[in-house]
Amino acid sequence: MIAKHSMSTTQKRKPAAVCEPEAVRAEDSMLRVLRDIRRAADGDGDGDGAISIEEIRDALGDRLYGPLFLLGAVLQLFPTGMIMGVTDVVTVLALLIGLQMCMGRIHPWLPRRLLRLSLSHQTLEKMLTKVEPWARKADHLFKKRATFLVVGPAAVVIGAASVIVSVLMFFLGFLPAAANLPALALLFFAVGLTVRDGVANLIGLGTVSYTHLRAHETRYVIAYAVFGLKSG
């Protein structure tokens, strides 16, 4: 369950390493990200049985954009997406990430309120266990290629697409499970940015386009669900 997490004021945040956006490291893999998140949870010394988004951020250092997309996608696509407020959190997360990618920021800024949100260790472990086989498959299917679709102007395009995803999730969130489709785009962006695979980013952009078309076709249903307006 998502809850507020109070961080000790005596703890100092580890400075993020200087990141070269176009540098491709051997540890750029989905499994490595999951291992680092699990290690951060195992090493959490607060004793409250929960790990905050801030602790996950510190554990991942400069490999943050992809894992943040992954976090949002998993929260929405897994049963946690049925918890009231989760879709709103993912929507805000996608918006913040997208805007900062458009601005060319290397290290994303997140509001303190969002950083203090946390997951219980039990919930996190269940999520990681379910994601791990898919992450292993992703590491086999996706690889470093077409990196011009990952960095530079392509990163700005992905950021803009993430902003569109946040808008779509806001409106589709009023319909049961409808927000899962834009969340799927976040999943492809997560893979593309983490393993530096431009093809995965292309698939994500295609998913955003398809979601936009489907949302346009069902605009009257959405309008009725959100504002109580009837067509005609």
Side-chain angles (χ1 to χ4, degrees):
M1 179 179 295
I2 292 185
K4 293 291 183 65
H5 186 68
S6 299
M7 294 293 295
S8 173
T9 55
T10 59
Q11 288 182 324
K12 294 184 178 180
R13 184 193 310 170
K14 297 178 182 178
V18 177
C19 172
E20 292 294 334
E22 301 192 25
V24 179
R25 298 174 296 277
E27 67 269 20
D28 289 328
S29 71
M30 301 301 293
L31 282 176
R32 177 61 184 268
V33 168
L34 297 184
R35 282 197 296 266
D36 287 347
I37 293 175
R38 181 176 279 117
R39 188 178 298 115
D42 292 340
D44 179 27
D46 288 349
D48 58 358
I51 180 170
S52 68
I53 292 179
E54 182 172 15
E55 290 171 312
I56 294 175
R57 179 202 64 184
D58 292 342
L60 296 174
D62 60 356
R63 301 164 295 146
L64 204 51
Y65 279 112
L68 282 176
F69 277 131
L70 178 64
L71 176 63
V74 169
L75 284 174
Q76 181 60 42
L77 294 173
F78 278 73
T80 49
M82 302 300 294
I83 300 175
M84 183 177 295
V86 169
T87 299
D88 296 333
V89 171
V90 177
T91 298
V92 173
L93 188 62
L95 178 63
L96 288 174
I97 297 173
L99 289 175
Q100 292 180 78
M101 289 187 71
C102 288
M103 292 187 294
R105 289 181 62 94
I106 296 176
H107 305 294
W109 171 87
L110 295 174
R112 196 71 182 171
R113 187 182 184 88
L114 188 60
L115 288 173
R116 288 178 176 175
L117 294 176
S118 65
L119 289 169
S120 69
H121 287 176
Q122 182 179 8
T123 299
L124 179 65
E125 183 58 34
K126 287 181 179 179
M127 291 171 60
L128 292 178
T129 301
K130 290 182 178 179
V131 170
E132 205 162 24
W134 295 99
R136 187 172 290 106
K137 292 179 181 178
D139 284 338
H140 282 92
L141 292 173
F142 299 98
K143 57 187 177 182
K144 177 195 170 185
R145 56 187 168 183
T147 54
F148 65 93
L149 295 173
V150 179
V151 297
V156 177
V157 173
I158 295 170
S162 178
V163 173
I164 295 174
V165 165
S166 69
V167 174
L168 291 171
M169 290 191 71
F170 173 77
F171 288 103
L172 294 175
F174 291 92
L175 303 177
N180 287 358
L181 189 56
L184 189 60
L186 297 182
L187 183 60
F188 284 115
F189 291 152
V191 174
L193 293 173
T194 301
V195 304
R196 304 299 198 267
D197 190 345
V199 174
N201 285 337
L202 274 181
I203 298 174
L205 291 172
T207 305
V208 174
S209 298
Y210 177 75
T211 305
H212 181 269
L213 290 174
R214 295 296 298 170
H216 181 72
E217 291 174 359
T218 58
R219 62 190 182 279
Y220 294 122
V221 177
I222 297 173
Y224 181 76
V226 179
F227 304 110
L229 300 177
K230 295 184 179 179
S231 62

